[in-house]
Amino acid sequence: MDITIFPGKSRGAVTVPPSKSMAHRAIICAALAQEGISRIENINYSQDILATIQCLKQLGAEITCEENSLIVKGGISYHGLNEAVHCNESGSTLRFLIPLFALKEEKTVFTGEGRLLQRPQTIYQDIFRKQGLLYAQNPENITIQGRLKPGVFEVPGNISSQFISGLLFALPLLEGDSLISILPPFESQSYLKLTLDLLKQYGIEIQQKDKFTLLVPGNQSYCSHDYRIEGDYSQGAFWSVLSAINSPISCMDLPEDSAQGDKAILTILQQCGAKISAAEKGKGLTVIGGQLIGREIDLADCPDLGPILMVLALFCQGKSRIYHAKRLRYKESDRIAAMEAELRKLGADITSTEDEIFITPKISYQAKELIETHGDHRIAMAMAIAATKCQNSVTISHGEVVEKSYPNFWEHLENLEIQVEKHD
């Protein structure tokens, strides 16, 4: 499905979808509770969340999907493992669940779509090898076999905190205590904090000895717990930038006290000269752009903001430098290369190194050819926001990729009075 976006002023309000990061974690914790029933409110059934739900059902959880909430009866039984555990294209699902399926002796085969099985998994490979367990990966699947044992786990902190979170879900269920030693530099610390906060709410004790050391007592049990998922700052970033570079809109359900790392979008916008105020009604905010100035932006703790920050830089006076960006190259696409290619189609002045992006703004932008999404939801959404400020209409291919994380994105863009046309 191709999407054509016409330039125009944004108006109105948008309710930001619930946090995908928090939803993954809450559903996993609820699924591991051996007794009781958990109700998880404010669910957005993106492809990634549906992948986690299906995999947890194979783990043994009973999950009932209502319109925007889940009823979860937990418990590990590993039924349904005669079939592969299919993670679709969700890196969170795969990395969070590998250690949980390694709590049993039998073989488990994980499959996926897109670039999922090309994304780095060497941390688990090294852990399994050191414990004498099977870990085999090829372009079609990952196969594991053998029961994870308690012990000391050394994990690099500069690849993805998802590996640490995956271990934290599983290690409390082992018979003995474990220690996770995080090797500096430690990036994406905010995502680890989300995991620790959710674990505590579901009855799991983790002792953080210092920034790099986590003691995980064994023989613990998850407790059932009702939970509401708050709005997602990584998705709200698209609307916050739209509000800054176009015309002000209200972004609802973005709590001020959120622990999400992608809340950094607000600080970055303020550093660029934008003003942020509370929305007129309800819990939310409005970003007012004005004269924006290019800055140096550190992506170490908020890599998912990369694509939309490149769009923001197009409309900031002076050169912008985005650094600690290397992990963008290992997402659903190489997000640096993809954004570089597509923004140049608009006439952007953008260059990059392995770890940095440099953008110098131009007076105006005009689409010269079809914009490709590279199979990546964040590329599609970022380019859509840029399109609203181009001199002509912009057509984006394969607009359906947004279903991975934000199925209602195009409808929400239309609701903000931006003209959108869909072509099958």
Side-chain angles (χ1 to χ4, degrees):
M1 174 179 69
D2 289 351
I3 303 287
T4 298
I5 298 167
F6 294 83
K9 285 192 174 182
S10 52
R11 297 181 183 86
V14 59
T15 299
V16 176
S19 166
K20 188 160 64 80
S21 297
M22 299 179 77
H24 281 299
R25 290 163 170 79
I27 299 168
I28 290 170
C29 289
L32 295 174
Q34 290 297 118
E35 296 181 358
I37 294 175
S38 303
R39 184 179 188 90
I40 302 176
E41 301 279 357
N42 198 27
I43 291 288
N44 183 25
Y45 291 108
S46 63
Q47 290 178 347
D48 282 8
I49 294 302
L50 289 172
T52 289
I53 290 170
Q54 181 55 43
C55 293
L56 289 170
K57 287 181 178 179
Q58 290 180 255
L59 194 68
E62 297 178 20
I63 302 177
T64 302
C65 299
E66 299 184 344
E67 184 175 354
N68 64 347
S69 62
L70 294 177
I71 307 299
V72 183
K73 182 179 180 181
I76 299 177
S77 64
Y78 299 104
H79 71 279
L81 289 187
N82 55 320
E83 298 181 356
V85 179
H86 188 65
C87 299
N88 205 334
E89 202 177 357
S90 175
S92 298
T93 303
L94 179 64
R95 290 170 175 172
F96 288 163
L97 296 187
I98 283 177
L100 288 173
F101 280 91
L103 295 177
K104 67 182 185 68
E105 294 283 353
E106 292 77 19
K107 181 186 296 183
T108 302
V109 178
F110 296 90
T111 58
E113 302 290 341
R115 281 168 42 110
L116 179 64
L117 296 176
Q118 300 173 34
R119 296 171 69 175
Q121 312 293 341
T122 52
I123 291 177
Y124 285 151
Q125 186 175 12
D126 291 344
I127 288 172
F128 278 56
R129 178 181 53 80
K130 288 176 183 177
Q131 291 206 356
L133 310 177
L134 172 66
Y135 185 100
Q137 182 170 349
N138 60 49
E140 284 74 43
N141 57 59
I142 293 172
T143 301
I144 64 171
Q145 186 170 16
R147 181 171 169 77
L148 198 64
K149 295 180 281 290
V152 177
F153 297 81
E154 286 193 346
V155 182
N158 64 342
I159 297 179
S160 172
S161 65
Q162 290 174 349
F163 296 102
I164 304 169
S165 292
L167 290 170
L168 287 173
F169 290 130
L171 296 183
L173 301 176
L174 298 180
E175 292 76 13
D177 298 348
S178 296
L179 187 75
I180 299 177
S181 177
I182 303 167
L183 306 177
F186 185 13
E187 300 178 0
S188 294
Q189 295 179 48
S190 59
Y191 288 97
L192 178 60
K193 186 177 186 303
L194 290 182
T195 302
L196 294 172
D197 288 348
L198 263 295
L199 286 169
K200 184 176 181 180
Q201 293 191 52
Y202 283 86
I204 296 298
E205 175 192 359
I206 307 294
Q207 300 173 22
Q208 189 159 14
K209 296 297 186 182
D210 56 47
K211 180 179 177 180
F212 301 103
T213 311
L214 299 165
L215 176 62
V216 186
N219 296 302
Q220 297 191 64
S221 298
Y222 284 79
C223 302
S224 55
H225 175 69
D226 293 343
Y227 188 78
R228 183 188 183 276
I229 309 297
E230 67 186 36
D232 191 338
Y233 268 95
S234 67
Q235 308 291 35
F238 295 102
W239 307 126
S240 298
V241 170
L242 176 66
S243 188
I245 67 173
N246 196 308
S247 295
I249 58 174
S250 296
C251 305
M252 311 307 293
D253 201 14
L254 289 176
E256 292 182 15
D257 59 351
S258 175
Q260 296 177 55
D262 290 331
K263 185 184 174 185
I265 185 63
L266 302 184
T267 301
I268 293 167
L269 284 165
Q270 288 174 318
Q271 290 171 343
C272 292
K275 296 180 180 180
I276 298 171
S277 61
E280 290 184 6
K281 296 180 180 179
K283 183 183 288 186
L285 54 90
T286 298
V287 178
I288 301 172
Q291 193 173 72
L292 300 172
I293 306 298
R295 298 293 183 190
E296 295 205 345
I297 301 171
D298 186 352
L299 276 191
D301 203 36
C302 52
D304 282 345
L305 297 183
I308 192 59
L309 288 176
M310 295 184 220
V311 171
L312 173 65
L314 298 181
F315 302 95
C316 291
Q317 295 182 7
K319 195 168 189 176
S320 295
R321 171 181 174 249
I322 301 172
Y323 62 100
H324 288 152
K326 184 177 180 179
R327 276 182 298 156
L328 269 65
R329 297 194 181 276
Y330 305 102
K331 298 290 186 176
E332 286 83 345
S333 68
D334 177 339
R335 286 179 176 163
I336 295 177
M339 286 297 294
E340 199 168 349
E342 303 314 314
L343 288 176
R344 282 178 179 165
K345 292 178 182 178
L346 305 183
D349 180 352
I350 177 172
T351 59
S352 68
T353 66
E354 184 69 11
D355 190 51
E356 299 171 294
I357 305 141
F358 302 92
I359 297 173
T360 302
K362 293 191 172 181
I363 295 174
S364 64
Y365 301 95
Q366 184 172 357
K368 297 181 175 61
E369 53 187 299
L370 181 71
I371 300 298
E372 301 291 343
T373 59
H374 300 257
D376 193 322
H377 54 131
R378 296 198 188 277
I379 303 300
M381 293 187 284
M383 293 305 300
I385 301 304
T388 70
K389 289 289 289 179
C390 284
Q391 298 298 305
N392 61 338
S393 63
V394 177
T395 299
I396 300 174
S397 69
H398 299 292
E400 68 277 2
V401 296
V402 301
E403 294 175 9
K404 184 177 191 297
S405 65
Y406 197 160
N408 299 323
F409 177 81
W410 303 118
E411 288 74 18
H412 285 183
L413 188 58
E414 283 186 290
N415 291 341
L416 295 172
E417 299 190 23
I418 298 297
Q419 185 180 349
V420 177
E421 289 184 359
K422 299 178 181 179
H423 314 280
D424 293 329

